[in-house]
Amino acid sequence: MKIAKRVPDAIIVVLLLGLSFVTLYPFWNSLVISFNVGADTALGGITFWPRVFTLENYQVVFKDERLIQAFVISIFRTVVGTFLSILFTSMFAYGLTKKNLIGRKLFMIMCIVTMFFSGGLIPSFILIRSLHLIDTFWVLVVPGIIVVWNLIIFRTFFQELPDGLEESAKIDGCNYIRTFFSIIVPISGPVIATLSLFTAVGLWNDWFTASIYINNPHLMPIQTLLNQIINSNAMSEQLSSAGGEASEFVRQLKGVSTKSLVMATMMVTTLPIIMVYPFLQRFFVKGVLIGSMKE
Amino acid sequence: MHTELLAAKKTKKRSPSKKGILQAYIGQWDLQLMVIPGVLLVVLFSYVPMWGVLMSFQNYNLFTGFLDSQWVGMKHFDMFVHSSDFYRVMRNTLSISLLKLMFGFPAPIVLALLLNELKGFRFKRFVQTVSYLPHFMSWVIVSSFVISMLSVDNGSFNIFLMKLGIIHEPVNWLSTSQYFWGILVSSSVWKDVGFGAIVYLAAIAGIDPHLYEASAMDGAGRLRQIVSITIPSITPIIIIFLILNIGGILNAGFDDILNLTNNGANTLLRPVSDVIDTYVYRVGILGQRYSYATAVGLFKSAISVVLLVLANLLARRMGRSSLW
């Protein structure tokens, strides 16, 4: 009887262990390959442990000027973009909580509509082109400043703050801007931290914007560069399956990076996300909940 | 309702003259200053492109600009619907999307139910932490995992299958078009199943524990409790997510497909990987047929909006939750 009751539990545990394994294995395998000598990786068969351990791949990554530059661009973009986005989105949201704001309803509807309709890829592309933003750093930052989802979460948060908080500032004759920065912002730490993290992860991970708006290799963020490297690698593999001799030729011709090197680049690219992940995890359950409650 | 209307009328009558509004506006300059940047950014980057969809009714010329381009009516829509690409693009979009819905939609619910049955807090925590992680990886990273796992000469997947004796020589998974949908759907389930489960877990946590106690006294087993209490309790939220999914049925994927097909350059996979969004990207951005691509995009958004409204109507008719 007792055993019969335990069986379902055991099945569930096994299933979830399987899921965890399937989820973690690609990360682990890539990490292992990144610590393996490139020429040896090409022989295949690397699964749980490096066969010929080396730090060489990481040395190459950290010496490659193109990669370093891409990391710098990504970091810069993430920091500047997150700061501007949180600043302007939160100010906008605060303004929208004030009932006397002229145009409040119109602004709100305008924002909500963008969640359901958009002009689409091509009109945005034409717009960015005619604004002469192509091949500028700002195209990576400015179009994404207002995030409507964050706007709604900020607004909900500000609305729930007790009205009395702002009284003293009003009595002292502070205007709305002073009140916002000296009273509201200091007590909004958690929500600002949460949304900053989410915005930062989104900016760090975005590869597509740069892939269509940036041609200048000095402005290429790391994810976009990685996308290009992986593509050229995948291309060579496809060609290699067509014929062994051609592949070596193609590889030399394109100067394609070895798999181990790509994996090392990838690991360095995911490192910032892994580093903030514990904080993310603490916050995001709450964040998602606020979002879904609004629905 | 009636009194509200009257009140509204009254306030309208008493509403300040134009000069009054201007004065009030100047009086709240500090408040307006806070929202103006946001409003301008939304207008510029969301509404200008919305107005820009009009170019799908033109032969848009990059050099003469929007105002001087020739108007051609529905020509581009007509061209798309009658083009040889139409059938392929629509078939891929709907198939991939339905497959994703079929597997990607129930998966988080099942995971949430399984997690909820776990007794050990630590293990539950561990599984959650692990399963949420891929959601925060970009598709560039995830696709390179996929490419690496499935690689014909190094891939772990081939190694495992060969060790298990299921296949005898490595299969070139990503170069065989019949596997592509399966790969695409599994990798998107892999990426988002954990994160998707959060909402359902929260909904399950909100169920009144008395219900379980009462049913246990009536002799209900665990399966019975899941079927008769847990699932019905989270049905409203399931329906809301289903509505959202139906509205997005033409979003078969973009980042994932591009990253798994060399940004669409993989011609071998194109017959199975070309969906509306990647098609718009390819003919629009790469092929520079701006008006035509915009028309295809507008065709898609129009259908999506109609679907969303219909799904919402249906949900309301059923007396359940609705989006608005």
Side-chain angles (χ1 to χ4, degrees), chain A residues 207-208 231, chain B residues 254-264 278 281:
Chain A
W207 62 279
F208 185 69
N231 275 346
Chain B
F254 186 71
D255 277 39
D256 48 354
I257 296 179
L258 282 190
N259 274 299
L260 286 173
T261 60
N262 299 347
N263 290 0
T278 59
Y281 166 74

Side-chain angles (χ1 to χ4, degrees), chain A residues 128-140:
Chain A
I128 300 286
R129 231 189 111 103
S130 40
L131 291 174
H132 300 289
L133 280 174
I134 286 189
D135 264 337
T136 63
F137 173 73
W138 297 108
V139 76
L140 299 176

Side-chain angles (χ1 to χ4, degrees), chain B residues 62-120:
Chain B
L62 207 54
F63 300 103
T64 57
F66 185 75
L67 292 174
D68 295 320
S69 290
Q70 180 199 1
W71 290 91
V72 293
M74 303 292 282
K75 179 182 140 194
H76 297 293
F77 295 89
D78 215 47
M79 219 152 82
F80 173 56
V81 173
H82 292 108
S83 76
S84 55
D85 301 326
F86 181 76
Y87 168 73
R88 184 187 64 201
V89 167
M90 288 311 280
R91 185 203 61 177
N92 289 340
T93 306
L94 290 174
S95 315
I96 292 174
S97 202
L98 284 173
L99 281 172
K100 278 187 178 172
L101 192 66
M102 237 162 75
F103 294 98
F105 188 75
I109 303 174
V110 173
L111 177 60
L113 291 174
L114 287 179
L115 280 169
N116 188 51
E117 291 301 311
L118 275 187
K119 304 253 160 39

Side-chain angles (χ1 to χ4, degrees), chain B residues 19-67:
Chain B
K19 201 180 160 195
I21 284 193
L22 195 68
Q23 250 168 10
Y25 190 85
I26 292 167
Q28 54 172 240
W29 65 272
D30 46 344
L31 195 53
Q32 290 290 345
L33 202 62
M34 295 180 87
V35 301
I36 283 172
V39 173
L40 288 181
L41 284 167
V42 170
V43 168
L44 183 60
F45 290 109
S46 298
Y47 282 84
V48 172
M50 273 188 219
W51 184 68
V53 300
L54 285 178
M55 73 193 212
S56 59
F57 303 101
Q58 294 184 324
N59 272 338
Y60 180 80
N61 185 322
L62 207 54
F63 300 103
T64 57
F66 185 75
L67 292 174

Side-chain angles (χ1 to χ4, degrees), chain B residues 99-157:
Chain B
L99 281 172
K100 278 187 178 172
L101 192 66
M102 237 162 75
F103 294 98
F105 188 75
I109 303 174
V110 173
L111 177 60
L113 291 174
L114 287 179
L115 280 169
N116 188 51
E117 291 301 311
L118 275 187
K119 304 253 160 39
F121 177 75
R122 277 219 180 134
F123 182 58
K124 184 175 174 180
R125 188 71 207 224
F126 168 78
V127 177
Q128 282 177 294
T129 306
V130 168
S131 64
Y132 300 160
L133 183 62
H135 175 80
F136 297 97
M137 299 293 143
S138 72
W139 267 106
V140 176
I141 305 289
V142 174
S143 74
S144 88
F145 283 158
V146 174
I147 292 167
S148 158
M149 290 296 114
L150 299 180
S151 157
V152 67
D153 43 43
N154 283 322
S156 299
F157 193 60

Side-chain angles (χ1 to χ4, degrees), chain A residues 5 8-9 12-13 15-17 19-27 29-30 33 41-48 88 91-92 94-96 98 100-103 107 109-111 113-114 116-129 131 133 142-143 145-146 148 175-177 180-181 198 201 205-208 211-212 223 226-227 230-231 234-235 237-238 240-241 251 259 263 266-267 269-270 273-274 277 280-281 284-285 288-289 292 295, chain B residues 21 24-25 28-35 37-39 41-50 52-53 55 60 62-63 111 114-115 117-119 123 125-141 143-145 147-156 159-160 172 174-175 190 193 195 198-199 202 222 237 240-241 244 254-255 258-259 261-263 265-266 268 277 280-281 284-285 290 293-294 301 305 308 322-324:
Chain A
K5 258 194 177 168
D9 281 323
I12 291 169
V13 169
L15 280 176
L16 292 177
L17 275 176
L19 176 78
S20 309
F21 173 75
V22 169
T23 309
L24 285 180
Y25 180 77
F27 289 93
N29 184 246
S30 305
I33 291 176
T41 305
L43 301 175
I46 310 286
T47 48
F48 292 100
F88 286 111
M91 284 202 314
F92 194 6
Y94 176 73
L96 287 174
K98 297 292 163 229
N100 57 331
L101 175 78
I102 294 171
F107 298 154
I109 292 170
M110 264 172 53
C111 290
V113 165
T114 63
F116 295 96
F117 299 95
S118 82
L121 182 63
I122 308 298
S124 304
F125 178 78
I126 303 282
L127 172 72
I128 300 286
R129 231 189 111 103
L131 291 174
L133 280 174
V142 177
I145 285 181
I146 299 297
V148 174
N175 63 28
Y176 284 111
I177 300 176
F180 178 68
F181 285 107
F198 272 88
V201 169
N205 278 342
D206 172 47
W207 62 279
F208 185 69
S211 83
I212 57 174
Q223 299 270 2
L226 197 56
N227 166 270
I230 291 165
N231 275 346
M235 195 73 99
E237 176 159 320
Q238 248 148 34
S240 80
S241 64
R251 216 164 281 198
K259 188 167 175 177
M263 289 303 173
M266 215 172 77
M267 283 298 131
T269 310
T270 51
I273 307 269
I274 306 268
Y277 184 61
L280 264 178
Q281 207 205 355
F284 67 61
V285 175
V288 168
L289 285 187
S292 58
E295 285 177 350
Chain B
I21 284 193
Y25 190 85
Q28 54 172 240
W29 65 272
D30 46 344
L31 195 53
Q32 290 290 345
L33 202 62
M34 295 180 87
V35 301
V39 173
L41 284 167
V42 170
V43 168
L44 183 60
F45 290 109
S46 298
Y47 282 84
V48 172
M50 273 188 219
V53 300
M55 73 193 212
Y60 180 80
L62 207 54
F63 300 103
L111 177 60
L114 287 179
L115 280 169
E117 291 301 311
L118 275 187
K119 304 253 160 39
F123 182 58
R125 188 71 207 224
F126 168 78
V127 177
Q128 282 177 294
T129 306
V130 168
S131 64
Y132 300 160
L133 183 62
H135 175 80
F136 297 97
M137 299 293 143
S138 72
W139 267 106
V140 176
I141 305 289
S143 74
S144 88
F145 283 158
I147 292 167
S148 158
M149 290 296 114
L150 299 180
S151 157
V152 67
D153 43 43
N154 283 322
S156 299
I159 296 174
F160 286 141
N172 198 345
L174 270 165
S175 298
W190 180 84
V193 63
F195 197 73
I198 294 177
V199 186
R222 273 163 81 179
I237 195 155
I240 287 195
F241 277 80
L244 284 173
F254 186 71
D255 277 39
L258 282 190
N259 274 299
T261 60
N262 299 347
N263 290 0
N266 188 332
L268 205 67
D277 285 331
V280 168
Y281 166 74
I285 302 286
Y290 298 122
T294 309
S301 342
V305 169
L308 188 67
S322 76
L323 271 183
W324 56 78

Side-chain angles (χ1 to χ4, degrees), chain B residues 216-233:
Chain B
M217 276 205 280
D218 291 342
R222 273 163 81 179
L223 199 64
R224 182 83 233 175
Q225 288 185 330
I226 293 176
V227 173
S228 308
I229 299 175
T230 316
I231 292 178
S233 304

